[in-house]
């Protein structure tokens, strides 16, 4: 995040697997907030739910 600020980046966004609550808690502790939920198609059929997370940098 320090490097991003030095490069004049004002926000970081990532995507996580929605069902993985441990990953959600990890990123939330670092100041990221949940955004939209999306569904990625799987090669074998079906879909994988993912959630975007964003942190604004100051």
């Amino acid at each position: 995040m320090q490097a991003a600020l030095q490069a004049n980046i004002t926000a970081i966004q990532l995507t996580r697997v929605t069902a993985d609550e441990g990953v959600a808690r990890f990123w939330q502790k670092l100041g990221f907030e949940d955004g939209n939920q999306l569904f990625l198609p799987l090669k074998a059929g079906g879909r994988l739910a993912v959630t975007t997370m964003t942190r604004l940098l100051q």
Side-chain angles (χ1 to χ4, degrees), residues 13-27:
Q13 186 174 55
L14 57 91
T15 304
R16 67 170 176 84
V17 174
T18 301
D20 193 336
E21 289 300 320
V23 168
R25 284 190 300 275
F26 172 81
W27 289 112

Side-chain angles (χ1 to χ4, degrees), residues 1-9 12 55 57-58:
M1 287 184 243
Q2 296 273 345
L5 282 170
Q6 291 173 353
N8 295 319
I9 294 172
I12 298 174
R55 177 173 175 178
L57 304 176
Q58 299 177 15

Side-chain angles (χ1 to χ4, degrees), residues 36-55:
N36 296 326
Q37 184 180 53
L38 311 167
F39 295 92
L40 301 178
L42 298 175
K43 202 173 199 178
R47 312 182 299 174
L48 176 65
V50 296
T51 300
T52 60
M53 296 187 83
T54 303
R55 177 173 175 178

